């Protein structure tokens, strides 16, 4: 949605009174209110886009923190920030799940991967990660039925991408 401010600003400029510079078909009495409305849309779009840019920056910092194997908590901090700023993107929830998994917080990681899978149900990566997280919970004998949930998640990933090597590798982990 980063394009909204640019389009709205262009619309406002097109509504100027200069002959030939804009929409000569728009009645003169409507040009000022329409231009004001377009500028308001541009302002709101830019303001909203700023939060999205901050979330994207947090994801970038998360990826940088992953390069530091001694600092899984740093990665967790950035992933949480990205989800807080823009909770609608599956990639941010997936990053949060990854960071939680790296911090051995498997139940919370599963919850984050579930959010990612909900937001991008046709992306096998979230389902594979969810299956791996549930498998880890099953190995640790955590309550509930994480093994059945792992099987359900990996079956879903297999339906989405039956020839994916990541899905096949996760199948072997779940089947152990």
């Amino acid at each position: 949605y980063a394009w909204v401010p640019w389009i709205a600003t262009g619309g406002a400029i097109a509504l100027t009174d200069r002959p030939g510079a804009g929409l000569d078909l728009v009645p003169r009495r409507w040009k000022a209110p329409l231009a004001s409305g377009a500028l308001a849309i541009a302002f709101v779009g830019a303001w909203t886009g700023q939060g999205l840019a901050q979330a994207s920056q947090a994801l970038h910092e998360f990826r940088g923190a992953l390069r530091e194997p001694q600092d899984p908590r740093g990665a967790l901090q950035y992933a949480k920030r990205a989800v807080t700023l823009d909770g609608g993107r599956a990639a941010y929830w997936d990053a949060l799940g990854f960071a939680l998994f790296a911090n051995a917080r498997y139940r919370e990681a599963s919850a984050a991967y579930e959010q990612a899978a909900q937001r991008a149900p046709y992306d096998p990566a979230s389902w594979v990660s969810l299956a791996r997280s549930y498998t880890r919970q099953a190995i640790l004998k955590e309550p509930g039925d994480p093994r059945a949930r792992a099987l359900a998640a990996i079956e879903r990933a297999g339906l989405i991408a039956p020839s994916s090597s990541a899905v096949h590798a996760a199948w072997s982990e779940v089947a152990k």
Side-chain angles (χ1 to χ4, degrees):
Y1 299 109
W3 52 268
V4 170
W6 295 104
I7 297 298
T9 302
I13 291 170
L15 292 168
T16 62
D17 278 336
R18 291 183 300 148
L23 303 171
D24 293 331
L25 300 175
V26 176
R28 182 172 225 158
R29 67 175 189 242
W30 288 100
K31 286 186 178 187
L34 286 174
S36 298
L39 286 175
I41 290 170
F43 175 75
V44 169
W47 180 68
T48 305
Q50 187 176 19
L52 298 176
Q54 289 173 349
S56 180
Q57 177 63 30
L59 184 64
H60 178 71
E61 291 167 351
F62 161 79
R63 290 182 178 143
L66 287 180
R67 293 187 198 109
E68 297 293 326
Q70 299 84 5
D71 190 24
R73 288 191 185 116
L76 180 58
Q77 168 193 345
Y78 294 123
K80 281 183 177 178
R81 183 168 174 242
V83 166
T84 300
L85 291 169
D86 183 8
R89 292 183 186 239
Y92 298 160
W93 284 102
D94 204 42
L96 179 59
F98 187 87
L100 288 163
F101 191 93
N103 282 280
R105 294 165 63 178
Y106 306 117
R107 189 176 298 232
E108 293 170 82
S110 294
Y113 288 135
E114 285 175 0
Q115 292 293 322
Q118 207 173 51
R119 284 161 176 74
Y122 299 108
D123 181 5
S126 298
W127 294 103
V128 166
S129 298
L130 182 59
R132 287 185 167 144
S133 184
Y134 279 135
T135 299
R136 189 59 60 103
Q137 289 177 52
I139 291 168
L140 297 174
K141 300 190 185 327
E142 291 191 10
D145 197 1
R147 182 156 170 69
R149 290 181 179 185
L151 287 169
I154 199 61
E155 284 175 5
R156 177 70 184 260
L159 290 172
I160 296 167
S163 61
S164 167
S165 61
V167 172
H168 293 286
W171 261 115
S172 68
E173 288 178 33
V174 172
K176 287 182 183 179

